[in-house]
């Protein structure tokens, strides 16, 4: 199985476990995944009648191969919850897949500024190095290291 698909399944399970109405819903999802019916699992998750940002995550995950549509959903999630670090990272990953590095970097930068989420910062620094902005990546990395070394 390709790694991106595995990531999608893991994220879907995590989100669904946070938003499921009953254990029956979780059981249904787990059964589909156990039988490697990933497309069906994502379609089922998309059909859930959840009405919040988590539901939109599920819908975006069901947009396999339709990057612009999924990206639009992540933008909607960010408008609903500007502190949803996962939405920034996943939206940026879609932009990287489409080789739109400037949009991906901007999305990660916004996400890191708004959430101070360390994984988002690391993703931003890696992308900046990839596109040749080493000095900016160094500034971000230094900030992350200072932030990560602070006591809780």
């Amino acid at each position: 199985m390709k790694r991106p698909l595995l990531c999608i399944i893991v994220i879907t399970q995590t989100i669904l476990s946070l938003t499921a109405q009953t254990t029956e819903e979780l059981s249904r999802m787990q059964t589909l995944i156990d039988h490697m019916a990933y497309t069906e699992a994502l379609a089922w998750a998309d059909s859930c009648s959840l009405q919040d940002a988590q539901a939109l995550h599920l819908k975006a995950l069901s947009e396999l191969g339709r990057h612009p549509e999924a990206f639009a959903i992540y933008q909607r999630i960010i408008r609903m919850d500007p502190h949803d670090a996962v939405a920034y990272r996943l939206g940026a990953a879609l932009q990287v897949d489409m080789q739109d590095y400037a949009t991906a970097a901007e999305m990660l930068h916004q996400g890191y500024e708004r959430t101070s989420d360390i994984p988002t910062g690391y993703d931003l620094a890696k992308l900046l190095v990839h596109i040749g902005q080493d000095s900016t990546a160094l500034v971000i990395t230094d900030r992350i290291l200072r932030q990560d070394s602070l006591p809780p």
Side-chain angles (χ1 to χ4, degrees):
M1 178 188 335
K2 291 184 174 180
R3 184 172 176 205
L5 183 57
L6 180 59
C7 290
I8 288 170
I9 298 302
V10 169
I11 292 167
T12 302
Q13 276 191 293
T14 303
I15 292 169
L16 189 60
S17 68
L18 296 173
T19 59
Q21 305 298 314
T22 66
T23 55
E24 184 178 308
E25 289 176 341
L26 284 175
S27 169
R28 169 87 172 128
M29 181 66 144
Q30 188 61 53
T31 300
L32 289 169
I33 291 170
D34 289 346
H35 290 96
M36 292 190 219
Y38 303 118
T39 304
E40 293 87 349
L42 289 171
W44 177 82
D46 188 37
S47 73
C48 288
S49 59
L50 305 170
Q51 299 298 318
D52 57 7
Q54 304 298 349
L56 290 174
H57 273 294
L58 293 175
K59 181 165 177 47
L61 293 172
S62 72
E63 296 285 351
L64 287 174
R66 296 182 297 220
H67 289 35
E69 292 88 346
F71 183 70
I73 293 169
Y74 285 122
Q75 289 177 314
R76 185 173 167 203
I77 293 169
I78 290 167
R79 282 192 303 274
M80 289 173 64
D81 181 5
H83 299 288
D84 186 337
V86 173
Y88 291 101
R89 289 196 309 269
L90 293 176
L94 288 172
Q95 293 305 309
V96 168
D97 285 348
M98 294 189 300
Q99 298 181 352
D100 184 353
Y101 302 113
T103 302
E106 178 59 32
M107 185 167 230
L108 288 170
H109 188 267
Q110 280 182 359
Y112 185 55
E113 290 300 317
R114 290 179 179 168
T115 67
S116 298
D117 179 63
I118 290 173
T120 302
Y122 280 128
D123 286 353
L124 173 59
K126 287 188 286 189
L127 179 60
L128 290 171
V129 168
H130 178 74
I131 61 176
Q133 295 184 15
D134 296 353
S135 60
T136 307
L138 186 58
V139 170
I140 297 293
T141 303
D142 184 53
R143 181 175 163 196
I144 293 166
L145 292 173
R146 281 194 317 270
Q147 176 186 351
D148 202 17
S149 65
L150 294 174

